[in-house]
Amino acid sequence: MDIKVRVWRQSGPSAGGKMVAYDVKGISPDASFLEMIDVLNETLILDGDDPIAFDHDCREGICGACSMVINGVAHGPEKATTTCQLHMRKFSDGDVIDVEPWRAAAFPVIKDLVVDRTAFDQIIQAGGYITVPTGTAPDAHATPVPKKDADMAFEAATCIGCGACVAACPNGSSMLFTAAKITHLGLMPQGQPERDSRVLDMLQAQDDAGFGGCTNAGECTTVCPKGIPLSLIGRLNSDYRKAITKR
Amino acid sequence: MAVDTTSSKASKPAGAATPAPASKKQRPSSVVLKLIMAASGTLLVLFLFAHAAGNLKIFVGLPDFDHYAEWLRELGTPLLPHAWFLWIQRFGLLAAIGLHIWAAAALTIRAKKARPVKYAHRPKVQGGYAARTMRWGGVIIVLFVIWHILDLTLGTVNPAGGDSAASERVVEGFAPERWYVTIFYVLAVVAVGFHLRHGIWSAARTMGQQTVKGERRAKAIALVLSVVLVAMYLSVPIAVTLGLVD
Amino acid sequence: MTASEFWSEGEPVFDKAAPDGPVETRWERRKFNAKLVNPANRRKLTVIIVGTGLAGGSAAATLAEAGYHVKSYCYQDSPRRAHSIAAQGGINAAKNYRNDGDSVYRLFYDTVKGGDFRARESNVYRLAQVSVNIIDQCVAQGVPFAREYGGLLDNRSFGGTQVSRTFYARGQTGQQLLLGAYQALERQIGLGNVEMNARHEMLELIVVDGKARGIVVRDMVTGEISTEFADAVVLASGGYGNVFFLSTNAKGCNVTASWRAHRKGALFANPCYTQIHPTCIPESGSHQSKLTLMSESLRNDGRVWVPKAQKDTRRAADIPEDERDYYLERIYPSFGNLVPRDIASRAAKNVCDEGRGVGPGGLGVYLDFADAISRLGQKAVEAKYGNLFEMYERITGEDPYETPMRIYPAVHYTMGGLWVDYDLQSTVPGLFVVGEANFSDHGANRLGASALMQGMADGYFVLPNTISNYLASGPFPKVTETDAPVVEARKQVEDRIEKFLSIDGDRTVDSFHRELGHIMWEYCGMERTEEGLTKAVGLIRALKEEFWTRVKVPGKGEELNQNLEKAGRVADFIELGELMCIDALHRRESCGGHFRGESQTPDGEALRHDDEFSYAAAWEYFGADGKPTLHKEDLNFEYVHPSTRSYK
Ligand SMILES: Cc1cc2nc3c(=O)[nH]c(=O)nc-3n(C[C@H](O)[C@H](O)[C@H](O)COP(=O)(O)OP(=O)(O)OC[C@H]3O[C@@H](n4cnc5c(N)ncnc54)[C@H](O)[C@@H]3O)c2cc1C
Ligand code: HEM
Ligand code: HEM
Ligand code: SF4
Ligand code: F3S
Ligand code: FES
């Protein structure tokens, strides 16, 4: 199939950028979206142009590296799908497709479609862990965890840290990401001792990194490739309220 | 153990690309702002229901309505001097509106800063219409309330004038030939409905509602409450305009 | 086979760190005899760790907790994205929570046997011992493993073992384990004990006075080259399956860190041992950039077949039952569709080579669930495999409930890697290697669910104990920017980048990588022959020549330049590919993942030659165009005695 892509091109962090149109001819409907860009890049290189920079690694929907806003939707039109798992058969011959980077002050653009997501690591640093130095753990069966909690913790823990939630949120808020981690650790008995400090510190880090506040707009969950449910934000709010009142 | 661990470039602070400036002024967290909005919003909603219920008295009869307005001012006496309750309520409302607007403004400013560059291809509306109209909706409501107080409380912009009885202001204000005023009220009340359809649910979430089932229930309750409230409010101006009240 | 025109033979290599005596107490004794570093002195000692996967992430967190100053590097934008994140199936541990007769000894036994008797008994025993602590550690970190209704951990059996010892977190075990390690690492970063450098690529090892003392890295955002010094260097840079271009590995997986160390004197062991996984989604066209693994569990209910006739282009549904060849059931009646990975892979290749493959390019075989659906009902099949079917449909656009899935083998894991002793130290003092990057524990073949175990055993428990023995032997003299080896290492990196950018040829880096991949897959893939491998070495040498004259790398060095990154990786893959072929050529036996056409039983099964090849082949680098030197490390089996595998 033949399509036209309009891609955000920006040569460096402080450079200005603009949308540039490219024709991609004869692309297989079985190609993934990233493979379509690979093919485009091969021609750009041979033509002496700068190929399009984009983040990717696993191409299996699990590492969370790929990050493109396609036609205004983070990770493109398929629900619960990362960009790397999106295939060209979801588009039609002759389509014009707009491709932009995640847009958020906390995720500054490095080049083209590549952004800096270090802010997510900072949120985790602030408290997204259970303190247990290596070698100090009791036997794994010492603390049973109700299956229901374990399953829900797992659900929350599947967040791949891609940042689509931030890209989609009208407030540029990372609430869904933070809530997923709060929920995962807060549901485990092992996570209880740090439950209050975790939510206060992680939220502080989120605010400090320049993410907006959540107004329950709910766009994050609709683009989340792992379907992290919106209700987890309520858990964060509840934990937070309890933590400040205890303080 | 003498070991040189310097590297050829200045070592970065641990993993941080952009460390938060140390001197950052302590500001309320985004969740605290939301809690303030939820609390103040809840107060405002309670007022709206009380107010709507009071308005319905007009269907019992105009004197009853005026009596009600007067009763409002007598409420609390003799414990409180005349009209004090009303004033306490007014201060309470003002404080709630003030806090609500302040928190909304703070969150809006943060949101603008969090997305300095807009998308070239505007994201489609995905997460519901109400969520996106909260800010403009809120502003419209406040502008309406200002007009509304000039109209029905002070009478400044009301044909019946300032010294009239409340019922006169209502009946003359929504007189059939002033249909455009009625339309304006209808639009404003519908805006209130939209604000609350999302707002009531959102407040529940902010205060910690966290199950998927509860989310569905909260949304349903928010919708029902908003519709009921809108209906209660609309009944009065429409009935007056249609000449059903006299 | 002795030395030839392709290689020469050197002195044998010995593992001097390994204690002897009873295998059960070797690790205890090694830990006891290892020298310790006073806690007060640890802060003054710096350790560089390249890689933040399960091996590197766990090592960095643990060493930082112990008080060392750690500098960590990864090429991704966050340590959380290391390739370990993609592991699906699970992790083994000898917990015996099922009371089904499992034990440390049984895990040890299974792993030595599974490795086709080409791994060290001491190492494998230690791995089995430590496996128990790994699960404890991960659970305490909050890893949400699958649980039963009573709240205790669930286990499943994996990879044909007779006990249930595999712990798992749905199909995302690697992700959950890595997030545990990543969170521990982030905690240490927050405390200032680890200096994290994401988007930094190691491009050279710095060796001063014979010891590993630092690395040269490129900041992938600014392009800045810097030299980083330390008292010890740990490589945790993962496997090199991407030498085949198409593999189940992440796109960025590379051999550069290991290869640069190899060039600086670290021996590279058993490079030809590659694991090829039988159930991957086949290539769909020339745009294909990587292959996706489908869980092996599908073979429990799916039947594998191809048409009996060659070039049969009918739709699967139109091919009548008696014109189908259920070849695994035919050739291996007792194991049928459940034969081990290597056998299933080779059989698929054989039928495709006969021209009976299905799908684009004839590179695929059917995995048919029609029988299972009619026997169990669509609901039951959906409950068991629903998410896998969905993944398949998403990628191929075909509905596996309607038409059979198409599968094909793909490169999955590399057992070879830098040679290390029992302490995980390479032949360059001060250079330690952990995880998939080393060669240590899997011999010629890796059992399912054991790579995660090894990576974490190395990082959490083994390295932190053994590295102190080395660090205690300091103080090490100060290294500065102007020392000759430092200047030279930096210059090597700068010159190479300069060279890449100046060639300005007419072929892209990817086109070379693809071509290398074809050569490797064709001649050093599932079945290798002397003739093919000899040809491959010639082809690779020609490709290398062409690469250095015709490659085109756009852009500058001082910016984010993804093609420059790729160029460096592909240049190293080309050299590695040559060594892999030479290693495969020298090993004239079939063992584990290495099947030599000349070494098979009359009915086509792998034939090992324990008398001649019971050793690990550790290769020494001898210049880009010289012959590598083979150093043999003899393997002794005191506990598990070599036997032959049979699946008929
Ligand atoms: C699809 C798939 C499924 C799998 N499933 C299982 C399973 O179920 N069970 C199991 O036991 N095993 C499984 N494996 C194997 C297992 O996942 C890997 O062997 C293991 O995770 C490797 O871990 P590692 O820490 O050694 O390396 P990796 O996780 O690969 O990490 C390598 C690190 O090194 C860094 N790095 C590499 N080169 C450089 C450089 N030059 N400069 C700087 N940094 C560099 C990378 O950034 C990364 O952080 C699977 C593998 C694949 C591909
Ligand atoms: C200028 C006036 C107003 C503005 C700018 C404003 C704005 C907002 C905004 C931005 C929100 C958050 C949106 C969200 O949660 O998704 C909100 C929530 C809310 N508003 Fe208003 N609003 C105004 C007036 C009012 C009034 C008059 C009422 C009462 C009738 C009200 C009731 C609520 C409630 C109950 C919420 C939910 C609080 C929460 O989400 O926690 N608002 N408003
Ligand atoms: C549409 C139907 C409405 C009618 C008929 C109506 C009627 C009135 C009347 C008669 C008064 C004067 C009462 C008095 O002075 O004793 C009044 C006051 C007021 N109304 Fe309404 N109202 C309506 C809708 C609303 C809405 C939608 C809001 C808010 C969003 C609102 C907010 C107020 C406020 C804040 C006051 C002033 C209260 C005070 O003086 O303390 N009204 N209204
Ligand atoms: S919550 Fe969803 S969208 Fe956000 S980072 Fe996690 S996986 Fe991505
Ligand atoms: S879209 Fe944004 S406003 Fe909250 S609910 Fe999601 S973070
Ligand atoms: S590339 Fe890993 S999730 Fe898309």
Side-chain angles (χ1 to χ4, degrees):
Chain A
M1 49 201 268
D2 297 343
I3 50 156
K4 187 197 278 292
V5 280
R6 291 188 300 211
V7 184
W8 180 262
R9 302 304 309 265
Q10 175 174 342
S11 62
S14 50
K18 61 173 189 301
M19 300 292 280
V20 179
Y22 302 97
D23 288 314
V24 185
K25 295 226 161 24
I27 196 80
S28 158
D30 289 327
S32 73
F33 199 81
L34 299 188
E35 286 167 348
M36 181 273 291
I37 300 186
D38 288 342
V39 170
L40 169 60
N41 274 345
E42 293 283 293
T43 56
L44 289 180
I45 295 170
L46 293 177
D47 291 350
D49 289 336
D50 200 22
I52 299 159
F54 62 98
D55 263 325
H56 65 103
D57 203 21
C58 73
R59 298 204 176 187
E60 281 191 17
I62 192 74
C63 75
C66 56
S67 45
M68 297 179 189
V69 173
I70 300 166
N71 283 341
V73 182
H75 285 310
E78 268 297 274
K79 271 212 88 151
T81 303
T82 53
T83 306
C84 58
Q85 294 282 80
L86 175 67
H87 285 75
M88 295 311 293
R89 67 178 82 88
K90 302 291 172 194
F91 298 89
S92 318
D93 198 34
D95 274 1
V96 179
I97 304 170
D98 287 337
V99 189
E100 298 173 74
W102 284 176
R103 292 281 185 212
F107 291 165
V109 174
I110 293 174
K111 184 176 177 182
D112 299 341
L113 304 172
V114 178
V115 301
D116 181 353
R117 284 171 287 198
T118 315
F120 267 7
D121 295 326
Q122 289 166 349
I123 294 176
I124 299 295
Q125 269 161 42
Y129 48 74
I130 289 172
T131 299
V132 45
T134 305
T136 58
D139 184 87
H141 268 179
T143 322
V145 182
K147 185 169 166 52
K148 205 172 106 259
D149 291 351
D151 285 351
M152 190 173 158
F154 175 85
E155 219 63 76
T158 55
C159 161
I160 57 175
C162 61
C165 44
V166 176
C169 174
N171 301 316
S173 175
S174 62
M175 200 68 157
L176 194 63
F177 167 81
T178 308
K181 191 46 63 190
I182 295 285
T183 304
H184 161 210
L185 298 177
L187 276 167
M188 305 301 263
Q190 293 84 354
Q192 298 313 310
E194 291 163 299
R195 189 162 167 181
D196 291 344
S197 60
R198 177 181 307 122
V199 68
L200 295 174
D201 294 346
M202 286 180 77
L203 202 86
Q204 183 71 49
Q206 168 179 314
D207 284 350
D208 287 350
F211 292 105
C214 168
T215 59
N216 301 318
E219 308 241 339
C220 46
T221 195
T222 58
V223 300
C224 174
K226 297 294 141 180
I228 301 291
L230 200 56
S231 53
L232 303 194
I233 291 180
R235 246 190 106 83
L236 188 164
N237 288 333
S238 156
D239 277 14
Y240 190 89
R241 185 169 45 74
K242 289 180 194 147
I244 38 170
T245 45
K246 270 187 226 165
R247 210 185 220 178
Chain B
M1 231 163 272
V3 156
D4 176 41
T5 56
T6 52
S7 65
S8 61
K9 62 172 187 194
S11 73
K12 273 197 282 180
T18 43
S23 64
K24 190 159 239 157
K25 179 165 107 247
Q26 196 62 38
R27 22 167 233 178
S29 86
S30 50
V31 174
V32 164
L33 290 174
K34 280 290 293 180
L35 283 166
I36 291 172
M37 293 205 71
S40 57
T42 307
L43 275 180
L44 295 172
V45 172
L46 290 178
F47 163 78
L48 278 187
F49 271 97
H51 181 37
N55 285 349
L56 292 184
K57 280 227 143 194
I58 209 157
F59 292 113
V60 183
L62 295 181
D64 287 275
F65 184 70
D66 289 329
H67 183 245
Y68 155 72
E70 188 48 40
W71 169 80
L72 265 183
R73 285 156 176 82
E74 291 301 330
L75 206 73
T77 46
L79 213 60
L80 295 172
H82 178 79
W84 269 47
F85 172 80
L86 196 63
W87 280 105
I88 290 173
Q89 179 195 279
R90 284 173 177 167
F91 278 117
L93 283 180
L94 264 168
I97 286 223
L99 282 171
H100 194 82
I101 294 179
W102 165 71
L107 283 168
T108 308
I109 292 168
R110 289 189 195 186
K112 290 274 175 293
K113 280 199 190 140
R115 162 118 358 98
V117 184
K118 299 275 168 293
Y119 288 104
H121 189 126
R122 276 180 67 90
K124 282 186 229 137
V125 175
Q126 291 179 41
Y129 169 77
R132 304 192 136 255
T133 53
M134 289 305 275
R135 287 179 186 131
W136 280 114
V139 170
I140 290 170
I141 296 168
V142 164
L143 292 178
F144 159 77
V145 169
I146 292 172
W147 161 271
H148 175 60
I149 289 176
L150 292 176
D151 181 15
L152 294 184
T153 307
L154 301 177
T156 330
V157 295
N158 192 287
D163 302 328
S164 54
S167 61
E168 283 171 19
R169 294 198 290 272
V170 171
V171 173
E172 292 189 28
F174 298 121
E177 63 277 13
R178 278 169 58 92
W179 53 270
Y180 48 91
V181 173
T182 305
I183 289 184
F184 170 60
Y185 266 75
V186 169
L187 291 179
V189 167
V190 167
V192 171
F194 274 115
H195 197 83
L196 293 189
R197 189 187 80 166
H198 178 75
I200 293 174
W201 168 72
S202 177
R205 171 57 40 90
T206 300
M207 297 201 257
Q209 183 287 319
Q210 54 179 273
T211 60
V212 178
K213 221 167 99 198
E215 177 176 319
R216 245 175 281 133
R217 200 180 311 137
K219 281 187 173 168
I221 292 173
L223 182 64
V224 169
L225 289 181
S226 313
V227 169
V228 167
L229 197 75
V230 168
M232 282 161 84
Y233 274 123
L234 290 189
S235 59
V236 178
I238 290 179
V240 172
T241 307
L242 296 180
L244 300 178
V245 175
D246 49 342
Chain C
M1 206 188 201
T2 51
S4 78
E5 52 169 315
F6 292 115
W7 75 90
S8 53
E9 193 167 332
E11 294 294 301
V13 53
F14 296 102
D15 177 1
K16 297 198 201 75
D20 43 23
V23 74
E24 295 85 1
T25 56
R26 283 179 195 166
W27 177 226
E28 272 317 306
R29 280 177 290 127
R30 179 66 195 125
K31 279 196 282 187
F32 183 74
N33 292 326
K35 283 181 266 174
L36 300 175
V37 180
N38 179 332
N41 286 336
R42 294 186 194 158
R43 223 169 322 119
K44 300 176 209 151
L45 290 163
T46 300
V47 180
I48 282 177
I49 301 182
V50 180
T52 58
L54 278 172
S58 59
T62 305
L63 289 176
E65 284 160 8
Y68 297 102
H69 179 227
V70 176
K71 294 193 203 174
S72 202
Y73 300 84
C74 69
Y75 69 75
Q76 293 92 347
D77 67 334
S78 163
R80 70 179 288 148
R81 302 199 210 286
H83 173 57
S84 296
I85 200 102
Q88 304 172 351
I91 173 171
N92 288 333
K95 277 286 196 186
N96 194 25
Y97 280 161
R98 282 302 174 88
N99 195 25
D100 57 1
D102 199 11
S103 63
V104 167
Y105 198 87
R106 188 179 295 281
L107 177 54
F108 157 67
Y109 179 90
D110 288 350
T111 309
V112 171
K113 185 162 172 238
D116 222 3
F117 304 95
R118 292 293 175 265
R120 282 187 204 138
E121 285 190 332
S122 303
N123 284 55
V124 176
Y125 198 90
R126 175 177 64 189
L127 177 64
Q129 280 176 308
V130 165
S131 69
V132 175
N133 308 88
I134 295 174
I135 301 304
D136 296 343
Q137 181 65 28
C138 295
V139 165
Q141 287 171 344
V143 170
F145 281 119
R147 288 183 184 261
E148 295 178 323
Y149 283 98
L152 299 179
L153 295 161
D154 192 16
N155 288 132
R156 61 184 175 201
S157 75
F158 204 78
T161 51
Q162 288 153 309
V163 292
S164 287
R165 61 159 76 103
T166 305
F167 294 79
Y168 66 101
R170 231 154 301 163
Q172 281 127 285
T173 316
Q175 180 195 29
Q176 295 311 321
L177 296 173
L178 183 64
L179 291 180
Y182 156 77
Q183 286 161 198
L185 172 63
E186 287 297 339
R187 174 166 171 265
Q188 293 301 317
I189 295 170
L191 293 170
N193 301 332
V194 176
E195 193 189 304
M196 183 67 227
N197 300 278
R199 288 200 205 268
H200 277 68
E201 189 167 32
M202 164 183 169
L203 294 177
E204 200 54 76
L205 180 71
I206 297 173
V207 181
V208 182
D209 296 332
K211 293 193 170 74
R213 293 306 304 280
I215 57 176
V216 183
V217 295
R218 178 171 178 272
D219 179 329
M220 294 158 74
V221 174
T222 63
E224 189 193 352
I225 307 293
S226 60
T227 49
E228 308 281 338
F229 305 134
D231 297 281
V233 175
V234 179
L235 298 188
S237 45
Y240 50 84
N242 275 352
V243 66
F244 290 86
F245 185 69
L246 289 182
S247 82
T248 63
N249 288 11
K251 287 296 284 174
C253 289
N254 67 90
V255 76
T256 292
S258 299
W259 195 254
R260 296 283 121 195
H262 174 55
R263 292 176 60 119
K264 285 278 164 78
L267 301 186
F268 205 114
N270 301 335
C272 82
Y273 287 160
T274 315
Q275 181 165 77
I276 294 179
H277 199 289
T279 48
C280 299
I281 300 177
E283 256 185 271
S284 66
S286 61
H287 55 262
Q288 192 84 29
S289 60
K290 77 152 293 192
L291 296 170
T292 303
L293 180 78
M294 298 287 289
S295 170
E296 224 163 353
S297 62
L298 288 169
R299 284 198 282 146
N300 288 330
D301 286 302
R303 296 180 70 195
V304 177
W305 65 273
V306 289
K308 282 189 175 155
Q310 292 182 343
K311 305 253 171 304
D312 189 337
T313 53
R314 287 176 292 175
R315 287 175 38 225
D318 299 338
I319 302 178
E321 203 55 36
D322 62 348
E323 291 177 38
R324 299 175 175 193
D325 179 11
Y326 295 89
Y327 59 90
L328 286 178
E329 296 168 22
R330 177 172 55 82
I331 309 174
Y332 304 99
S334 61
F335 273 72
N337 294 302
L338 291 172
V339 290
R341 289 180 181 178
D342 52 340
I343 292 178
S345 298
R346 204 150 13 86
K349 177 173 169 18
N350 289 342
V351 295
C352 293
D353 287 351
E354 288 164 17
R356 300 195 286 141
V358 297
L363 293 177
V365 300
Y366 287 126
L367 180 61
D368 197 338
F369 286 86
D371 276 6
I373 291 174
S374 63
R375 184 162 37 92
L376 308 166
Q378 172 144 347
K379 273 246 156 57
V381 171
E382 198 175 321
K384 246 171 145 172
Y385 306 113
N387 56 344
L388 293 167
F389 277 36
E390 230 172 77
M391 173 168 106
Y392 181 85
E393 184 170 1
R394 179 168 16 238
I395 294 174
T396 61
E398 290 170 12
D399 177 2
Y401 295 105
E402 298 292 322
T403 55
M405 280 187 183
R406 288 174 295 108
I407 55 166
Y408 200 63
V411 173
H412 180 54
Y413 183 88
T414 49
M415 281 73 73
L418 290 179
W419 185 91
V420 289
D421 63 13
Y422 189 72
D423 281 357
L424 303 180
Q425 185 164 216
S426 73
T427 47
V428 176
L431 178 69
F432 292 77
V433 190
V434 294
E436 193 174 341
N438 73 25
F439 90 113
S440 65
D441 299 353
H442 307 295
N445 181 39
R446 176 180 70 85
L447 289 180
S450 60
L452 301 177
M453 171 171 73
Q454 181 230 333
M456 288 195 284
D458 287 1
Y460 280 127
F461 297 106
V462 179
L463 179 81
N465 281 295
T466 58
I467 201 171
S468 69
N469 187 59
Y470 175 80
L471 291 171
S473 68
F476 303 107
K478 197 172 151 123
V479 180
T480 64
E481 216 38 52
T482 50
D483 290 354
V486 179
V487 174
E488 189 199 308
R490 174 193 269 274
K491 191 164 161 15
Q492 281 167 338
V493 169
E494 286 166 350
D495 288 353
R496 222 160 89 102
I497 291 176
E498 182 62 42
K499 175 80 181 156
F500 286 136
L501 294 169
S502 64
I503 297 169
D504 196 28
D506 57 356
R507 281 189 64 177
T508 62
V509 177
D510 271 353
S511 77
F512 283 102
H513 197 175
R514 249 176 227 282
E515 188 173 339
L516 174 69
H518 282 142
I519 299 173
M520 296 301 294
W521 180 246
E522 195 52 38
Y523 304 109
C524 199
M526 279 175 280
E527 181 171 338
R528 298 118 186 230
T529 62
E530 170 145 10
E531 194 197 340
L533 290 164
T534 311
K535 183 170 172 199
V537 173
L539 288 171
I540 295 173
R541 287 180 179 167
L543 186 71
K544 179 160 59 180
E545 178 84 27
E546 194 174 335
F547 178 84
W548 287 103
T549 47
R550 286 184 57 191
V551 75
K552 183 176 177 91
V553 181
K556 305 181 301 243
E558 302 77 32
E559 61 173 353
L560 180 78
N561 187 337
Q562 294 175 324
N563 279 276
L564 179 61
E565 294 157 18
K566 281 196 224 170
R569 294 171 192 165
V570 171
D572 290 338
F573 275 139
I574 293 176
E575 291 184 12
L576 167 75
E578 185 180 333
L579 183 68
M580 285 173 73
C581 292
I582 292 174
D583 183 42
L585 186 61
H586 111 280
R587 190 171 283 277
R588 290 176 54 101
E589 65 160 347
S590 297
C591 66
H594 170 63
F595 187 86
R596 266 300 280 264
E598 297 90 346
S599 182
Q600 43 182 309
T601 61
D603 49 0
E605 297 306 320
L607 185 61
R608 232 175 39 225
H609 295 298
D610 293 331
D611 46 340
E612 278 182 87
F613 292 102
S614 187
Y615 62 80
W619 296 91
E620 182 183 349
Y621 186 76
F622 256 80
D625 304 309
K627 287 193 221 175
T629 306
L630 170 65
H631 301 274
K632 295 176 180 171
E633 182 202 337
D634 274 326
L635 298 169
N636 299 309
F637 296 91
E638 296 172 50
Y639 294 88
V640 190
H641 296 291
S643 55
T644 310
R645 303 188 298 163
S646 168
Y647 300 98
K648 292 238 163 168

